[in-house]
Amino acid sequence: RLASFAGLYWDKKDEGTLSVVLKEGKLSAVFSADESYPLKPVAESRLRMVGPPITLEFKREQASSPWMMSLQRDGDDHADLLEARPEFKPSAEQLAAFAGAYSSEEIEPVYRFSVDAGALVMKRLKSKPDKLEPTITDQFSSSIGNLHFLRDAEGRVTGFVLNAGRIRGVKFKKAP
């Protein structure tokens, strides 16, 4: 049963993701390559992170439905609700659609994206190149936050929205 909880979970509110990974018969919550915590079962569908005071509870509407996960920090009155989503593993051709220069009316820097060694890389003035990690379709995580790429009616990438902590909804347009 615990193995069925493994997968990628997406938070619609902040477009962040959390991976639940099964390794050597044990589950872990993985927030990023540098941050993961073992999970300890406390009930049939409830697990507790070892470390941070966070409880995860898994539910389904029906047996055939995807898992929904509530994430609740001790002391919070509400829980974040995350839904199981398929992991986005873009091909080189798919990654190439995101390449280009993007600018925003809200902030000055131009963000440039290119494909390097099979990964989408973001380049900004006075910053090191940042390899993006695909999460769900058209979304990537980076060191600065979550990027949700936008498409037009023909399916062409036209821009992206940046969500980074308290900074939410910063829109960038792709240069022609």
Side-chain angles (χ1 to χ4, degrees):
R1 173 130 173 114
L2 291 177
S4 71
F5 301 147
L8 180 71
Y9 293 84
W10 179 66
D11 185 342
K12 184 178 183 178
K13 184 179 72 178
D14 70 4
E15 295 189 342
T17 57
L18 171 68
S19 292
V20 175
V21 176
L22 180 65
K23 188 174 181 182
E24 297 177 8
K26 296 183 180 185
L27 290 174
S28 293
V30 179
F31 289 96
S32 69
D34 301 329
E35 186 181 14
S36 67
Y37 302 96
L39 295 172
K40 179 181 177 183
V42 293
E44 186 174 329
S45 60
R46 192 175 315 142
L47 299 111
R48 182 99 172 138
M49 282 188 199
V50 176
I54 297 174
T55 301
L56 308 177
E57 187 164 1
F58 297 85
K59 298 177 182 176
R60 283 185 170 156
E61 287 183 19
Q62 302 172 19
S64 61
S65 300
W67 285 110
M68 299 294 289
M69 175 179 57
S70 66
L71 182 147
Q72 187 160 15
R73 292 163 183 82
D74 289 0
D76 278 0
D77 291 338
H78 75 286
D80 295 329
L81 189 62
L82 292 85
E83 59 186 72
R85 294 298 273 292
E87 189 174 343
F88 182 44
K89 296 186 180 195
S91 66
E93 182 180 324
Q94 289 172 309
L95 285 176
F98 300 107
Y102 297 74
S103 61
S104 174
E105 294 178 2
E106 299 176 55
I107 60 176
E108 283 190 35
V110 172
Y111 286 47
R112 296 185 192 323
F113 297 88
S114 61
V115 178
D116 186 17
L120 189 62
V121 177
M122 177 174 56
K123 297 174 184 168
R124 301 173 292 144
L125 188 63
K126 298 183 182 181
S127 297
K128 289 189 222 179
D130 190 1
K131 179 182 168 190
L132 304 182
E133 294 296 327
T135 55
I136 65 171
T137 302
D138 290 345
Q139 295 191 31
F140 294 81
S141 65
S142 74
S143 64
I144 63 166
N146 297 308
L147 292 86
H148 177 179
F149 284 86
L150 307 170
R151 294 180 182 270
D152 63 14
E154 285 80 44
R156 293 181 299 242
V157 175
T158 59
F160 71 90
V161 176
L162 173 64
N163 291 307
R166 293 183 298 163
I167 299 168
R168 313 225 16 96
V170 179
K171 294 179 182 174
F172 287 79
K173 290 183 182 175
K174 188 174 186 180

